Amino acid sequence: MKYEAVIGLEVHTQVRSSSKMFCSCANEFGAEPNTNVCPVCVGYPGVLPVPNKKAIHATVKAGLLTGCTIAKFSKFDRKNYFYPDMPKNYQISQYDLPFCTAGKIHLSGTGFSGAELPDKDIGITRIHLEEDVAKLTHFHHDSGVDYNRAGVPLMEIVSEPDLRSADEAYAYLNSLKEIMRFGEISDCDMEKGQMRCDVNISLRPVGQKEFGTKIELKNLNSFRAVHRAIDFEIERQAELLDAGVVLKQETRGWNDDRGESYLMRTKESAHDYRYFPEPDLMPVTFTDEEIEAVRATLPELPEAKRQRFIDDYGLTPYDAGVLTADKQLAAYFDEAAKLVKTPKQAANWIISSLLALTGEAGISVNDSKVTPALLATLINAIDSGKINGKIAKDVFADMFESGKDADTIINEKGLAQVSDSSAISGAVAEVLAQFTKQLEEYRSGNGKILQFFVGQVMKLTKGKANPGMVVAELKKQLGE
Ligand code: ADP
Ligand code: MG
Ligand code: ZN
Protein backbone atom coordinates (compact mmCIF):
# COMPACT_ATOMS: atom_id res chain seq x y z
CA MET A 1 0.00 0.00 0.00
CA LYS A 2 1.54 3.28 -1.01
CA TYR A 3 -0.99 5.32 1.01
CA GLU A 4 -1.38 5.76 4.74
CA ALA A 5 -4.84 6.23 6.23
CA VAL A 6 -5.46 9.08 8.66
CA ILE A 7 -8.57 8.65 10.77
CA GLY A 8 -10.32 10.71 13.45
CA LEU A 9 -13.54 9.67 15.18
CA GLU A 10 -16.44 11.70 16.49
CA VAL A 11 -18.36 9.60 18.98
CA HIS A 12 -21.68 10.48 20.60
CA THR A 13 -22.67 8.73 23.82
CA GLN A 14 -25.83 9.30 25.80
CA VAL A 15 -25.08 10.09 29.42
CA ARG A 16 -26.63 7.65 31.89
CA SER A 17 -29.17 9.84 33.67
CA SER A 18 -32.73 9.40 34.88
CA SER A 19 -33.81 12.74 33.44
CA LYS A 20 -33.13 14.83 30.35
CA MET A 21 -30.51 17.55 29.94
CA PHE A 22 -32.59 20.69 30.38
CA CYS A 23 -35.95 19.50 31.75
CA SER A 24 -37.21 16.91 34.21
CA CYS A 25 -38.66 14.52 31.61
CA ALA A 26 -37.64 10.88 32.04
CA ASN A 27 -34.71 9.64 29.97
CA GLU A 28 -36.08 6.22 29.18
CA PHE A 29 -35.42 4.00 26.17
CA GLY A 30 -38.30 2.12 24.58
CA ALA A 31 -41.18 4.15 26.02
CA GLU A 32 -44.28 4.77 23.88
CA PRO A 33 -43.26 7.53 21.38
CA ASN A 34 -43.78 11.13 22.54
CA THR A 35 -44.75 10.28 26.10
CA ASN A 36 -41.63 11.67 27.82
CA VAL A 37 -42.01 15.22 26.55
CA CYS A 38 -42.72 18.68 27.95
CA PRO A 39 -42.74 22.28 26.68
CA VAL A 40 -38.96 22.54 27.22
CA CYS A 41 -37.85 19.54 25.20
CA VAL A 42 -40.31 20.11 22.38
CA GLY A 43 -39.25 23.72 22.27
CA TYR A 44 -42.33 25.78 23.05
CA PRO A 45 -41.61 29.50 22.87
CA GLY A 46 -40.77 31.19 26.15
CA VAL A 47 -39.64 28.15 28.13
CA LEU A 48 -36.36 28.11 30.04
CA PRO A 49 -33.83 25.27 30.16
CA VAL A 50 -32.41 24.17 33.53
CA PRO A 51 -29.13 22.25 33.23
CA ASN A 52 -28.77 18.71 34.56
CA LYS A 53 -25.88 18.88 37.05
CA LYS A 54 -25.35 15.13 37.14
CA ALA A 55 -24.85 15.05 33.38
CA ILE A 56 -22.32 17.87 33.62
CA HIS A 57 -20.43 15.99 36.35
CA ALA A 58 -20.54 12.81 34.26
CA THR A 59 -18.91 14.73 31.40
CA VAL A 60 -16.20 16.03 33.72
CA LYS A 61 -15.69 12.46 34.92
CA ALA A 62 -15.28 11.29 31.31
CA GLY A 63 -12.74 14.08 30.82
CA LEU A 64 -10.75 13.13 33.91
CA LEU A 65 -10.75 9.44 32.96
CA THR A 66 -9.23 10.35 29.60
CA GLY A 67 -6.66 12.77 30.98
CA CYS A 68 -8.37 15.90 29.68
CA THR A 69 -8.00 19.40 31.02
CA ILE A 70 -11.28 20.48 32.61
CA ALA A 71 -12.31 24.02 31.73
CA LYS A 72 -12.92 26.18 34.77
CA PHE A 73 -15.11 28.37 32.61
CA SER A 74 -17.28 27.02 29.84
CA LYS A 75 -20.64 27.70 28.30
CA PHE A 76 -23.41 26.30 26.18
CA ASP A 77 -24.06 27.52 22.64
CA ARG A 78 -26.90 27.32 20.17
CA LYS A 79 -26.27 25.34 17.01
CA ASN A 80 -28.87 26.62 14.58
CA TYR A 81 -30.42 24.49 11.89
CA PHE A 82 -33.82 23.60 10.50
CA TYR A 83 -34.95 19.98 10.66
CA PRO A 84 -37.90 18.22 12.32
CA ASP A 85 -35.66 16.38 14.79
CA MET A 86 -35.30 19.62 16.77
CA PRO A 87 -38.47 21.74 16.94
CA LYS A 88 -36.71 24.74 18.50
CA ASN A 89 -34.63 24.92 15.29
CA TYR A 90 -31.48 24.86 17.33
CA GLN A 91 -29.67 22.34 19.45
CA ILE A 92 -28.07 23.40 22.72
CA SER A 93 -24.46 22.29 22.41
CA GLN A 94 -20.99 23.60 23.18
CA TYR A 95 -18.82 25.33 20.62
CA ASP A 96 -15.60 27.11 21.52
CA LEU A 97 -15.50 26.38 25.27
CA PRO A 98 -16.24 22.69 25.84
CA PHE A 99 -15.95 21.13 29.31
CA CYS A 100 -12.95 18.93 28.43
CA THR A 101 -9.98 19.32 26.09
CA ALA A 102 -6.63 17.72 25.22
CA GLY A 103 -6.88 14.20 26.64
CA LYS A 104 -5.84 10.78 25.42
CA ILE A 105 -6.79 7.13 25.33
CA HIS A 106 -4.19 4.38 25.24
CA LEU A 107 -4.79 1.68 22.64
CA SER A 108 -4.83 -1.77 24.18
CA GLY A 109 -5.65 -5.32 23.25
CA THR A 110 -5.82 -6.52 19.68
CA GLY A 111 -7.70 -5.17 16.72
CA PHE A 112 -10.75 -6.77 15.17
CA SER A 113 -8.53 -8.79 12.82
CA GLY A 114 -6.58 -10.12 15.81
CA ALA A 115 -3.40 -8.30 14.79
CA GLU A 116 -1.18 -6.73 17.45
CA LEU A 117 -1.70 -3.00 17.91
CA PRO A 118 1.05 -0.41 18.12
CA ASP A 119 1.68 0.87 21.65
CA LYS A 120 0.32 4.39 21.36
CA ASP A 121 -2.05 7.03 22.67
CA ILE A 122 -4.87 8.50 20.65
CA GLY A 123 -5.42 12.18 21.38
CA ILE A 124 -8.82 13.40 22.52
CA THR A 125 -9.41 16.83 21.07
CA ARG A 126 -12.48 17.63 23.16
CA ILE A 127 -15.47 16.27 25.02
CA HIS A 128 -18.53 18.45 25.08
CA LEU A 129 -22.07 18.10 26.31
CA GLU A 130 -25.20 18.74 24.29
CA GLU A 131 -28.80 17.61 24.01
CA ASP A 132 -29.80 14.70 21.81
CA VAL A 133 -32.38 15.30 19.09
CA ALA A 134 -35.61 13.47 18.25
CA LYS A 135 -35.51 10.10 16.52
CA LEU A 136 -36.94 9.97 13.01
CA THR A 137 -38.35 6.72 11.70
CA HIS A 138 -39.04 6.48 8.01
CA PHE A 139 -42.02 4.36 7.00
CA HIS A 140 -43.22 3.50 3.52
CA HIS A 141 -44.96 6.77 2.70
CA ASP A 142 -44.28 8.96 5.70
CA SER A 143 -42.00 9.49 8.67
CA GLY A 144 -42.52 9.43 12.43
CA VAL A 145 -40.83 11.70 14.94
CA ASP A 146 -40.26 10.54 18.51
CA TYR A 147 -39.40 13.44 20.82
CA ASN A 148 -38.67 11.13 23.75
CA ARG A 149 -35.03 11.27 22.67
CA ALA A 150 -35.00 15.06 22.21
CA GLY A 151 -33.15 16.60 25.13
CA VAL A 152 -31.43 13.45 26.38
CA PRO A 153 -27.94 14.40 27.63
CA LEU A 154 -25.40 13.53 24.96
CA MET A 155 -21.62 13.75 25.05
CA GLU A 156 -19.52 14.20 21.95
CA ILE A 157 -15.98 12.84 22.12
CA VAL A 158 -13.78 14.03 19.26
CA SER A 159 -10.45 12.35 18.63
CA GLU A 160 -7.35 13.77 17.03
CA PRO A 161 -6.56 12.32 13.58
CA ASP A 162 -4.18 9.85 15.25
CA LEU A 163 -5.68 6.56 14.09
CA ARG A 164 -4.07 4.77 11.15
CA SER A 165 -6.16 1.67 10.47
CA ALA A 166 -9.55 0.02 10.87
CA ASP A 167 -8.07 -2.13 13.65
CA GLU A 168 -6.87 0.90 15.59
CA ALA A 169 -10.26 2.58 15.26
CA TYR A 170 -11.97 -0.59 16.47
CA ALA A 171 -9.67 -0.86 19.50
CA TYR A 172 -10.09 2.84 20.29
CA LEU A 173 -13.87 2.46 20.29
CA ASN A 174 -13.63 -0.56 22.57
CA SER A 175 -11.40 1.32 25.01
CA LEU A 176 -13.69 4.32 24.96
CA LYS A 177 -16.70 2.12 25.64
CA GLU A 178 -14.90 0.38 28.51
CA ILE A 179 -14.02 3.72 30.05
CA MET A 180 -17.62 4.96 29.78
CA ARG A 181 -18.95 1.77 31.30
CA PHE A 182 -16.40 1.50 34.10
CA GLY A 183 -17.01 5.15 34.90
CA GLU A 184 -20.78 4.49 34.90
CA ILE A 185 -21.02 7.47 32.57
CA SER A 186 -22.83 5.77 29.70
CA ASP A 187 -23.99 2.22 29.06
CA CYS A 188 -22.92 2.64 25.42
CA ASP A 189 -25.54 0.19 24.19
CA MET A 190 -25.34 0.68 20.42
CA GLU A 191 -28.56 -1.19 19.81
CA LYS A 192 -30.36 1.40 21.91
CA GLY A 193 -28.57 4.20 20.06
CA GLN A 194 -26.64 5.15 23.19
CA MET A 195 -23.36 5.23 21.26
CA ARG A 196 -23.03 6.50 17.67
CA CYS A 197 -19.94 7.08 15.64
CA ASP A 198 -18.87 9.25 12.71
CA VAL A 199 -15.61 8.40 10.95
CA ASN A 200 -13.34 10.98 9.31
CA ILE A 201 -10.82 9.47 6.96
CA SER A 202 -8.25 10.61 4.44
CA LEU A 203 -5.30 9.04 2.66
CA ARG A 204 -1.84 10.46 2.07
CA PRO A 205 1.17 9.00 0.30
CA VAL A 206 3.38 7.16 2.81
CA GLY A 207 6.00 9.62 4.04
CA GLN A 208 3.97 12.77 3.29
CA LYS A 209 3.37 15.07 6.23
CA GLU A 210 0.28 16.98 5.11
CA PHE A 211 -3.07 15.30 5.48
CA GLY A 212 -5.13 14.40 2.46
CA THR A 213 -8.75 15.43 1.86
CA LYS A 214 -11.08 14.33 4.63
CA ILE A 215 -14.20 12.29 3.94
CA GLU A 216 -16.75 11.98 6.74
CA LEU A 217 -18.77 8.78 7.14
CA LYS A 218 -21.95 9.33 9.13
CA ASN A 219 -23.85 7.29 11.66
CA LEU A 220 -22.19 3.92 11.77
CA ASN A 221 -24.17 1.69 14.06
CA SER A 222 -21.69 -0.96 15.17
CA PHE A 223 -17.95 -1.24 15.74
CA ARG A 224 -17.91 -3.94 13.09
CA ALA A 225 -19.51 -1.51 10.63
CA VAL A 226 -16.85 1.10 11.48
CA HIS A 227 -14.15 -1.45 10.74
CA ARG A 228 -15.70 -2.50 7.43
CA ALA A 229 -16.43 1.08 6.38
CA ILE A 230 -12.84 2.16 6.99
CA ASP A 231 -11.41 -0.72 4.99
CA PHE A 232 -13.86 0.00 2.19
CA GLU A 233 -13.07 3.74 2.18
CA ILE A 234 -9.31 3.13 2.15
CA GLU A 235 -9.69 1.06 -1.00
CA ARG A 236 -12.19 3.42 -2.63
CA GLN A 237 -10.04 6.51 -2.01
CA ALA A 238 -6.84 4.74 -3.07
CA GLU A 239 -8.39 3.79 -6.40
CA LEU A 240 -9.48 7.40 -7.04
CA LEU A 241 -6.08 8.80 -6.07
CA ASP A 242 -4.37 6.23 -8.28
CA ALA A 243 -6.55 7.41 -11.17
CA GLY A 244 -5.39 10.97 -10.55
CA VAL A 245 -8.73 12.22 -9.19
CA VAL A 246 -8.51 15.24 -6.89
CA LEU A 247 -10.76 14.40 -3.92
CA LYS A 248 -13.20 16.96 -2.52
CA GLN A 249 -14.44 17.05 1.07
CA GLU A 250 -17.72 15.20 1.34
CA THR A 251 -20.05 13.47 3.75
CA ARG A 252 -20.94 9.89 2.98
CA GLY A 253 -23.31 7.31 4.41
CA TRP A 254 -22.61 3.62 4.95
CA ASN A 255 -24.82 0.84 3.65
CA ASP A 256 -23.91 -2.16 5.76
CA ASP A 257 -25.98 -4.62 3.71
CA ARG A 258 -24.19 -3.72 0.51
CA GLY A 259 -20.87 -3.13 2.24
CA GLU A 260 -20.29 0.23 0.56
CA SER A 261 -20.38 3.95 1.27
CA TYR A 262 -22.49 6.42 -0.71
CA LEU A 263 -22.44 10.18 -1.23
CA MET A 264 -24.73 12.23 1.05
CA ARG A 265 -23.50 15.77 0.48
CA THR A 266 -20.47 17.71 -0.65
CA LYS A 267 -18.67 20.47 1.19
CA GLU A 268 -20.43 23.13 -0.91
CA SER A 269 -23.75 22.19 0.65
CA ALA A 270 -22.32 22.09 4.21
CA HIS A 271 -24.32 23.80 6.95
CA ASP A 272 -23.41 27.07 8.53
CA TYR A 273 -24.74 26.59 12.03
CA ARG A 274 -24.24 30.19 13.12
CA TYR A 275 -23.32 29.18 16.64
CA PHE A 276 -23.86 31.78 19.34
CA PRO A 277 -23.84 31.64 23.16
CA GLU A 278 -27.06 30.25 24.62
CA PRO A 279 -28.68 33.33 26.16
CA ASP A 280 -30.94 31.34 28.50
CA LEU A 281 -28.10 29.57 30.33
CA MET A 282 -25.38 30.94 32.57
CA PRO A 283 -21.79 30.03 31.74
CA VAL A 284 -20.61 27.06 33.82
CA THR A 285 -17.74 27.53 36.23
CA PHE A 286 -15.86 24.94 38.29
CA THR A 287 -13.65 25.44 41.31
CA ASP A 288 -10.63 23.22 41.95
CA GLU A 289 -12.53 21.65 44.85
CA GLU A 290 -15.41 20.68 42.59
CA ILE A 291 -13.09 19.08 40.06
CA GLU A 292 -11.22 17.24 42.83
CA ALA A 293 -14.53 16.00 44.24
CA VAL A 294 -15.31 14.41 40.86
CA ARG A 295 -11.77 13.02 40.65
CA ALA A 296 -12.31 11.28 43.99
CA THR A 297 -15.10 9.22 42.41
CA LEU A 298 -13.00 7.86 39.53
CA PRO A 299 -12.89 4.07 39.25
CA GLU A 300 -9.85 1.98 38.38
CA LEU A 301 -9.89 1.65 34.59
CA PRO A 302 -9.84 -1.71 32.81
CA GLU A 303 -6.30 -1.36 31.52
CA ALA A 304 -4.92 -0.65 35.01
CA LYS A 305 -7.06 -3.43 36.42
CA ARG A 306 -5.75 -5.91 33.86
CA GLN A 307 -2.17 -5.06 34.76
CA ARG A 308 -2.91 -5.39 38.49
CA PHE A 309 -4.53 -8.81 37.96
CA ILE A 310 -1.41 -9.91 36.08
CA ASP A 311 1.07 -8.44 38.58
CA ASP A 312 -0.67 -9.17 41.88
CA TYR A 313 -2.59 -12.34 41.12
CA GLY A 314 -0.35 -13.97 38.51
CA LEU A 315 -3.02 -14.19 35.83
CA THR A 316 -2.23 -14.60 32.15
CA PRO A 317 -3.00 -11.53 29.99
CA TYR A 318 -5.79 -13.53 28.39
CA ASP A 319 -7.50 -14.40 31.69
CA ALA A 320 -7.04 -10.85 32.94
CA GLY A 321 -8.69 -9.64 29.73
CA VAL A 322 -11.70 -11.92 30.15
CA LEU A 323 -12.17 -10.92 33.78
CA THR A 324 -11.94 -7.18 33.15
CA ALA A 325 -14.30 -7.16 30.19
CA ASP A 326 -17.11 -6.39 32.59
CA LYS A 327 -16.93 -4.26 35.72
CA GLN A 328 -19.12 -6.54 37.86
CA LEU A 329 -17.18 -9.62 36.79
CA ALA A 330 -13.89 -7.92 37.64
CA ALA A 331 -15.21 -6.98 41.09
CA TYR A 332 -16.43 -10.54 41.61
CA PHE A 333 -13.01 -11.97 40.83
CA ASP A 334 -11.23 -9.34 42.91
CA GLU A 335 -13.31 -10.31 45.94
CA ALA A 336 -12.85 -14.06 45.47
CA ALA A 337 -9.11 -13.66 44.83
CA LYS A 338 -8.64 -11.93 48.18
CA LEU A 339 -10.21 -14.88 50.02
CA VAL A 340 -7.99 -17.63 48.61
CA LYS A 341 -4.32 -18.59 48.53
CA THR A 342 -4.42 -19.33 44.80
CA PRO A 343 -6.09 -16.44 42.91
CA LYS A 344 -5.18 -18.06 39.62
CA GLN A 345 -7.40 -20.98 40.57
CA ALA A 346 -10.22 -18.56 41.31
CA ALA A 347 -9.78 -17.13 37.80
CA ASN A 348 -9.91 -20.63 36.29
CA TRP A 349 -13.08 -21.57 38.14
CA ILE A 350 -14.79 -18.34 37.18
CA ILE A 351 -13.82 -18.50 33.52
CA SER A 352 -14.29 -22.20 32.83
CA SER A 353 -17.09 -23.14 35.24
CA LEU A 354 -19.01 -20.17 36.59
CA LEU A 355 -19.29 -18.27 33.31
CA ALA A 356 -20.36 -21.47 31.56
CA LEU A 357 -23.20 -22.10 34.01
CA THR A 358 -24.33 -18.49 34.30
CA GLY A 359 -24.21 -18.27 30.51
CA GLU A 360 -26.45 -21.33 30.20
CA ALA A 361 -28.83 -19.93 32.80
CA GLY A 362 -28.78 -16.51 31.15
CA ILE A 363 -27.89 -14.71 34.37
CA SER A 364 -25.00 -12.53 35.49
CA VAL A 365 -22.41 -13.77 38.00
CA ASN A 366 -23.91 -11.49 40.61
CA ASP A 367 -27.30 -13.14 40.21
CA SER A 368 -25.89 -16.63 40.73
CA LYS A 369 -26.05 -18.31 44.15
CA VAL A 370 -22.28 -18.75 44.05
CA THR A 371 -21.00 -15.63 45.77
CA PRO A 372 -17.25 -14.88 45.76
CA ALA A 373 -17.13 -16.08 49.38
CA LEU A 374 -18.81 -19.35 48.42
CA LEU A 375 -16.44 -19.92 45.51
CA ALA A 376 -13.58 -19.31 47.95
CA THR A 377 -14.83 -22.17 50.18
CA LEU A 378 -14.48 -24.50 47.20
CA ILE A 379 -11.00 -23.35 46.28
CA ASN A 380 -9.85 -23.52 49.88
CA ALA A 381 -11.19 -27.08 50.12
CA ILE A 382 -9.07 -28.00 47.09
CA ASP A 383 -6.00 -26.17 48.36
CA SER A 384 -6.17 -27.87 51.76
CA GLY A 385 -6.40 -31.29 50.11
CA LYS A 386 -9.91 -31.94 51.36
CA ILE A 387 -11.16 -32.68 47.85
CA ASN A 388 -9.41 -33.18 44.54
CA GLY A 389 -10.08 -31.28 41.34
CA LYS A 390 -12.37 -33.93 39.94
CA ILE A 391 -14.68 -34.07 42.96
CA ALA A 392 -14.56 -30.27 43.09
CA LYS A 393 -16.43 -30.16 39.77
CA ASP A 394 -19.36 -32.03 41.34
CA VAL A 395 -19.24 -29.85 44.43
CA PHE A 396 -19.31 -26.76 42.24
CA ALA A 397 -22.32 -28.00 40.27
CA ASP A 398 -24.15 -28.64 43.55
CA MET A 399 -23.11 -25.24 44.90
CA PHE A 400 -24.48 -23.53 41.78
CA GLU A 401 -27.87 -25.22 42.30
CA SER A 402 -28.13 -25.10 46.09
CA GLY A 403 -26.06 -22.13 47.19
CA LYS A 404 -24.52 -24.29 49.94
CA ASP A 405 -20.87 -23.84 50.89
CA ALA A 406 -18.27 -26.42 49.92
CA ASP A 407 -17.81 -27.96 53.38
CA THR A 408 -21.53 -28.55 53.79
CA ILE A 409 -21.77 -30.26 50.40
CA ILE A 410 -18.64 -32.35 51.04
CA ASN A 411 -19.95 -33.52 54.42
CA GLU A 412 -23.49 -34.18 53.23
CA LYS A 413 -22.34 -36.25 50.29
CA GLY A 414 -19.33 -37.82 51.97
CA LEU A 415 -17.00 -36.49 49.29
CA ALA A 416 -13.99 -35.73 51.44
CA GLN A 417 -10.82 -36.88 49.79
CA VAL A 418 -9.29 -40.00 51.21
CA SER A 419 -5.88 -38.89 52.42
CA ASP A 420 -5.72 -41.63 55.00
CA SER A 421 -2.63 -43.63 54.04
CA SER A 422 -3.87 -46.98 55.33
CA ALA A 423 -7.09 -46.66 53.27
CA ILE A 424 -5.07 -45.77 50.20
CA SER A 425 -2.50 -48.53 50.65
CA GLY A 426 -5.38 -50.99 51.12
CA ALA A 427 -7.00 -49.87 47.86
CA VAL A 428 -3.68 -50.03 46.00
CA ALA A 429 -3.02 -53.55 47.28
CA GLU A 430 -6.51 -54.62 46.23
CA VAL A 431 -6.04 -53.26 42.69
CA LEU A 432 -2.62 -54.88 42.26
CA ALA A 433 -4.01 -58.20 43.47
CA GLN A 434 -6.99 -58.01 41.11
CA PHE A 435 -5.24 -57.00 37.86
CA THR A 436 -2.54 -59.64 37.63
CA LYS A 437 -2.32 -59.53 33.86
CA GLN A 438 -1.68 -55.79 33.86
CA LEU A 439 0.81 -56.24 36.66
CA GLU A 440 2.79 -58.67 34.51
CA GLU A 441 2.75 -56.22 31.62
CA TYR A 442 4.02 -53.52 33.92
CA ARG A 443 6.79 -55.72 35.20
CA SER A 444 7.84 -56.56 31.64
CA GLY A 445 8.48 -52.86 31.06
CA ASN A 446 5.20 -51.17 30.01
CA GLY A 447 5.37 -48.07 32.21
CA LYS A 448 2.07 -46.73 30.85
CA ILE A 449 0.20 -49.27 32.93
CA LEU A 450 0.85 -47.13 36.01
CA GLN A 451 -1.89 -44.72 34.86
CA PHE A 452 -4.25 -47.65 34.52
CA PHE A 453 -3.60 -48.61 38.15
CA VAL A 454 -4.15 -45.02 39.28
CA GLY A 455 -7.49 -45.04 37.44
CA GLN A 456 -8.54 -48.27 39.09
CA VAL A 457 -7.67 -47.02 42.58
CA MET A 458 -9.64 -43.83 41.92
CA LYS A 459 -12.55 -45.94 40.76
CA LEU A 460 -12.39 -48.10 43.84
CA THR A 461 -12.38 -45.02 46.09
CA LYS A 462 -15.17 -43.37 44.08
CA GLY A 463 -12.80 -40.65 42.93
CA LYS A 464 -12.05 -39.53 46.45
CA ALA A 465 -8.47 -40.68 46.84
CA ASN A 466 -5.75 -38.08 46.95
CA PRO A 467 -4.14 -38.65 43.52
CA GLY A 468 -0.64 -37.67 44.67
CA MET A 469 -0.77 -40.19 47.48
CA VAL A 470 -2.10 -42.90 45.15
CA VAL A 471 0.83 -42.52 42.77
CA ALA A 472 3.34 -42.55 45.64
CA GLU A 473 1.77 -45.63 47.22
CA LEU A 474 1.63 -47.47 43.87
CA LYS A 475 5.30 -46.82 43.27
CA LYS A 476 6.09 -47.99 46.76
CA GLN A 477 4.16 -51.25 46.42
CA LEU A 478 5.59 -51.84 42.93
CA GLY A 479 9.01 -51.60 44.51
CA GLU A 480 10.23 -48.36 42.92
P1 ADP B 1 -15.06 19.56 11.15
O1 ADP B 1 -14.92 20.96 11.58
O2 ADP B 1 -15.31 19.36 9.71
O3 ADP B 1 -15.96 18.75 12.03
P2 ADP B 1 -12.67 18.92 12.54
O4 ADP B 1 -11.36 19.54 12.22
O5 ADP B 1 -13.39 19.40 13.73
O6 ADP B 1 -13.58 18.97 11.29
O7 ADP B 1 -12.41 17.38 12.73
C1 ADP B 1 -13.42 16.48 12.89
C2 ADP B 1 -12.78 15.11 12.99
O8 ADP B 1 -12.06 14.82 11.81
C3 ADP B 1 -11.79 14.95 14.12
O9 ADP B 1 -11.98 13.69 14.71
C4 ADP B 1 -10.44 15.04 13.43
O10 ADP B 1 -9.48 14.26 14.11
C5 ADP B 1 -10.73 14.44 12.08
N1 ADP B 1 -9.88 14.96 11.00
C6 ADP B 1 -9.54 16.23 10.76
N2 ADP B 1 -8.80 16.30 9.64
C7 ADP B 1 -8.69 15.04 9.15
C8 ADP B 1 -8.06 14.48 7.99
N3 ADP B 1 -7.41 15.22 7.10
N4 ADP B 1 -8.18 13.16 7.83
C9 ADP B 1 -8.85 12.40 8.69
N5 ADP B 1 -9.44 12.88 9.77
C10 ADP B 1 -9.38 14.20 10.01
MG1 MG C 1 -17.46 17.39 12.54
ZN1 ZN D 1 -38.98 17.65 28.69
Side-chain angles (χ1 to χ4, degrees), residues 20-26 36-43 147-148 150-151:
K20 290 190 182 180
M21 187 60 222
F22 298 111
C23 62
S24 56
C25 287
N36 291 327
V37 292
C38 75
V40 174
C41 55
V42 291
Y147 289 107
N148 286 349

Side-chain angles (χ1 to χ4, degrees), residues 219-278:
N219 279 326
L220 294 142
N221 54 15
S222 71
F223 293 179
R224 174 82 182 105
V226 169
H227 194 277
R228 289 181 76 201
I230 289 174
D231 277 344
F232 175 86
E233 248 334 274
I234 290 174
E235 247 179 66
R236 189 188 69 85
Q237 291 181 27
E239 269 174 32
L240 292 172
L241 292 172
D242 278 343
V245 176
V246 176
L247 294 178
K248 286 205 206 103
Q249 271 198 38
E250 59 189 36
T251 302
R252 302 178 69 86
W254 173 250
N255 184 325
D256 207 40
D257 292 331
R258 297 172 63 158
E260 56 190 38
S261 67
Y262 58 90
L263 180 66
M264 286 170 79
R265 58 178 179 263
T266 54
K267 170 91 176 171
E268 286 79 58
S269 60
H271 297 286
D272 178 356
Y273 295 116
R274 300 192 177 264
Y275 280 96
F276 66 84
E278 167 60 60

